[in-house]
């Protein structure tokens, strides 16, 4: 398939039939030699055939020709296109104040609503991939062309005529790809954090908080260095997980002030050339009204175009959440290991058969899924870090890759937490009999004797008991260090759960 793509792209400029094959290949992932009715559209580099059933124009087709990379799986993320529709609608409304014909603006805004609803994305009018120009210019023009042609339809004009609505002069009025695409990045990420990440993360945190309270009275042995340690409650152990996720939520929230700054109004290099005074601020306010998120015009548009530290910061918070999830879920699956030959302190829901050869085996699949997600998010963070560190002069040109990775991490963590919460966390139970058995066998209960007999004698009891296979109590009595009454008085797990 890949070699065929390259062959097609090599001859596409000279053959409209092959161009149509490329278009179909990008959209449907297979070849279609059926002739597609085409119309002629022009950009500044010449005339091209455009499929007549699509609202995009020549610049979109040219991008399909030049970047046949990955196919439909690598399409520009859906939230970015929705965000582009939102910002274009806001700009059209504001531009009426600066001379844009209201009739054209109304048609543009109606077309934007079709973008925002997702209808035009689902119908294949946004076929471009992430791996294009690093400024997102082709996707900005894809959006301009689609909105312009949809507005032309609304007004009863001819597709591709750019009359009465022009993609650059009207839809892109007072804008540049260099400020619209980073604006879409911030809108898309902010909306997905609110709508996709937080519901899953908060639900899991709340479930684990409930488990911490439920397990508050269950005393178990702690472990450090994977070795036996002193007691704590299962609730205390779970409280650490709750706090990790609470801090993760707070970390995400702490990034929002920078994320809510919008680049729109900076145009090409941050100066605001070809805009009007007040345009940026009015657009930010309108975008806030459309999204319910308190966006503001970025105080420094040069920073907003040339760097994407806010994206790196957001993904840094996501990366930390991935680290937290990896630790939490690994603990849970280790504590649930067994059922006969592991720790088996926790009982997890049994959701599906775990082996194609071992009858009756059930595996911690929800844990495995979430740890794989955590690993992927950590990898995404490296890509975001590299992209963010490579903003050269007045423009960072890793924009599509960066936002795609941030959005993917949000989606994976949000969905992963929802699935883990529903299919595992809510059903976790404590195996109290096993917990009590293991705790009573632990040699580290000897730590309670330190204040009474000293560290060295306590160590002697523990080491002798371990060597001879005896209990702490019997060994202490045998060595003549303690009486049975003293041992029972001083070694009480329930008295070892906090400071005196």
């Amino acid at each position: 398939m890949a070699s065929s793509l390259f062959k097609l792209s090599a001859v596409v400029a000279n053959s409209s039939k092959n161009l149509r094959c490329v278009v179909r290949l990008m959209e449907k992932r297979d070849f279609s030699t059926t002739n597609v009715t085409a119309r002629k559209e022009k950009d500044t580099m010449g005339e091209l055939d455009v499929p007549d059933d699509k609202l995009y124009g020549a610049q979109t087709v040219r991008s399909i020709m030049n970047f046949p990379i990955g196919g439909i799986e690598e399409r520009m993320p859906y939230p970015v296109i929705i965000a582009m529709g939102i910002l274009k609608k806001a700009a059209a409304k504001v531009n009426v104040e600066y001379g844009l014909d209201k009739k054209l603006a109304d048609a543009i805004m109606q077309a934007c609503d079709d973008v925002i609803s997702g209808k035009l994305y689902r119908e294949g009018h946004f076929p471009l991939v992430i791996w294009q120009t690093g400024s997102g210019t082709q996707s900005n023009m894809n959006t301009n062309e689609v909105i312009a042609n949809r507005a032309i339809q609304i007004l009863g004009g001819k597709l591709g005529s750019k009359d009465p609505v022009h993609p650059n002069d009207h839809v892109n009025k007072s804008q540049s790809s260099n400020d619209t695409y980073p604006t879409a990045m911030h809108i898309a990420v902010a909306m997905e954090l609110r709508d996709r990440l937080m519901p899953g993360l908060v639900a899991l945190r709340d479930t684990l908080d409930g488990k911490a309270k439920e397990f508050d009275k269950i005393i178990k042995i702690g472990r450090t260095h994977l070795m036996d340690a002193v007691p704590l409650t299962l609730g205390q152990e779970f409280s650490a997980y709750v706090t990790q996720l609470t801090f993760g939520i707070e970390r995400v929230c702490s990034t929002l002030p920078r994320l809510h700054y919008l680049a729109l109004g900076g145009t090409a290099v941050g100066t605001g050339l070809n805009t009007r005074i007040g345009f940026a601020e009015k657009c930010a306010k309108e975008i806030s009204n459309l999204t319910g998120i308190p966006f503001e015009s970025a105080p420094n548009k040069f920073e907003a175009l040339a760097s994407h530290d806010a994206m790196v910061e957001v993904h840094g918070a996501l990366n930390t959440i991935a680290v937290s999830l990896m630790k939490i879920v690994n603990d849970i699956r280790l504590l649930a290991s067994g059922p006969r030959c592991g720790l088996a302190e926790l009982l997890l829901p049994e959701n599906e058969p775990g082996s194609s050869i071992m009858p009756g085996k059930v595996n911690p699949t929800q844990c495995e899924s979430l740890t794989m997600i955590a690993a992927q998010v950590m990898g995404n963070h490296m890509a975001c870090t590299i992209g963010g560190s490579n903003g050269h002069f007045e423009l960072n040109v890793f924009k599509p890759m960066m936002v795609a990775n941030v959005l993917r991490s949000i989606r994976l963590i949000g969905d992963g937490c929802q699935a883990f919460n529903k299919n595992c966390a809510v059903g976790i139970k404590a195996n109290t009999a096993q917990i009590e058995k293991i705790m009573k066998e632990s040699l580290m209960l000897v730590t309670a004797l330190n204040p009474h007999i000293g560290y060295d004698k306590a160590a002697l009891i523990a080491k002798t008991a371990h060597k001879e296979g005896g209990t702490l109590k019997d060994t202490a009595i045998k060595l003549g260090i303690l009486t049975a009454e003293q041992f029972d008085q001083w070694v009480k797990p329930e008295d070892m759960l906090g400071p005196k």
Side-chain angles (χ1 to χ4, degrees), residues 347-392:
L347 301 173
L348 305 185
E350 298 184 349
N351 296 327
E352 64 270 315
S355 173
S356 61
I357 188 173
M358 293 175 279
K361 194 174 194 297
V362 179
N363 296 327
T365 54
Q366 288 293 321
C367 297
E368 292 162 8
S369 173
L370 202 49
T371 53
M372 287 192 290
I373 286 171
Q376 182 62 58
V377 170
M378 293 173 196
N380 293 347
H381 187 57
M382 177 57 73
C384 287
T385 301
I386 293 170
S389 67
N390 277 277
H392 303 132

Side-chain angles (χ1 to χ4, degrees), residues 281-496:
E281 292 74 17
K282 290 177 180 179
C283 282
K285 182 178 180 180
E286 188 58 35
I287 291 168
S288 294
N289 292 338
L290 290 169
T291 61
I293 295 173
F295 290 111
E296 300 177 55
S297 182
N300 188 300
K301 303 296 190 301
F302 306 102
E303 184 272 346
L305 273 61
S307 68
H308 289 305
D309 294 349
M311 286 289 116
V312 179
E313 182 184 13
V314 168
H315 206 285
L318 298 174
N319 188 60
T320 305
I321 290 169
V323 169
S324 298
L325 290 172
M326 184 72 85
K327 186 267 190 289
I328 292 166
V329 176
N330 274 336
D331 274 12
I332 288 172
R333 66 172 164 182
L334 287 170
L335 290 171
S337 60
R340 295 287 179 86
C341 302
L343 297 178
E345 292 187 353
L346 295 180
L347 301 173
L348 305 185
E350 298 184 349
N351 296 327
E352 64 270 315
S355 173
S356 61
I357 188 173
M358 293 175 279
K361 194 174 194 297
V362 179
N363 296 327
T365 54
Q366 288 293 321
C367 297
E368 292 162 8
S369 173
L370 202 49
T371 53
M372 287 192 290
I373 286 171
Q376 182 62 58
V377 170
M378 293 173 196
N380 293 347
H381 187 57
M382 177 57 73
C384 287
T385 301
I386 293 170
S389 67
N390 277 277
H392 303 132
F393 303 120
E394 278 64 61
L395 189 69
N396 178 290
V397 289
F398 284 76
K399 299 183 195 303
M401 180 276 288
M402 291 185 71
V403 71
N405 276 286
V406 175
L407 291 170
R408 188 182 189 200
S409 293
I410 290 170
R411 183 170 67 250
L412 288 174
I413 293 174
D415 291 359
C417 285
Q418 290 277 26
F420 184 83
N421 182 58
K422 177 183 176 183
N423 299 314
C424 183
V426 296
I428 293 174
K429 295 179 181 177
N431 187 351
T432 52
Q434 177 73 351
I435 287 172
E436 185 175 359
K437 175 178 179 293
I438 292 175
M439 185 187 64
K440 287 182 176 179
E441 293 174 351
S442 173
L443 299 175
M444 289 303 100
L445 296 177
V446 78
T447 307
L449 297 175
N450 286 1
H452 304 283
I453 64 175
Y455 183 94
D456 291 340
K457 288 182 179 179
L460 176 62
I461 293 171
K463 288 182 176 293
T464 304
H466 181 55
K467 181 180 179 181
E468 296 179 353
T471 67
L472 289 175
K473 183 176 180 178
D474 291 343
T475 303
I477 296 169
K478 176 183 174 182
L479 293 173
I481 297 174
L482 293 174
T483 65
E485 292 75 15
Q486 287 174 318
F487 187 93
D488 290 339
Q489 180 183 355
W490 293 335
V491 182
K492 295 180 178 179
E494 62 271 22
D495 292 339
M496 301 174 68

Side-chain angles (χ1 to χ4, degrees), residues 2-12 18:
S3 61
S4 299
L5 266 173
F6 287 120
K7 290 176 183 177
L8 281 170
S9 62
V11 299
V12 73
N18 281 335

Side-chain angles (χ1 to χ4, degrees), residues 5 8 12 15-28 30-36 64:
L5 266 173
L8 281 170
V12 73
S15 172
S16 61
K17 180 179 178 180
N18 281 335
L19 170 60
R20 292 192 290 273
C21 288
V22 170
V23 173
R24 290 302 184 211
L25 181 60
M26 293 295 293
E27 293 172 357
K28 297 184 176 179
D30 58 6
F31 285 98
S32 172
T33 55
T34 305
N35 286 332
V36 179
I64 293 170

Side-chain angles (χ1 to χ4, degrees), residues 29-47:
R29 299 174 57 209
D30 58 6
F31 285 98
S32 172
T33 55
T34 305
N35 286 332
V36 179
T37 305
R39 65 178 183 272
K40 300 288 185 182
E41 285 211 27
K42 292 181 180 179
D43 61 11
T44 57
M45 298 188 71
E47 190 177 73

Side-chain angles (χ1 to χ4, degrees), residues 13 19 70 105 116 118 181 230 249 260 269 362 425 448:
L19 170 60
I116 295 167
Y181 195 88
V230 295
I249 292 167
H260 290 164
V269 295
V362 179

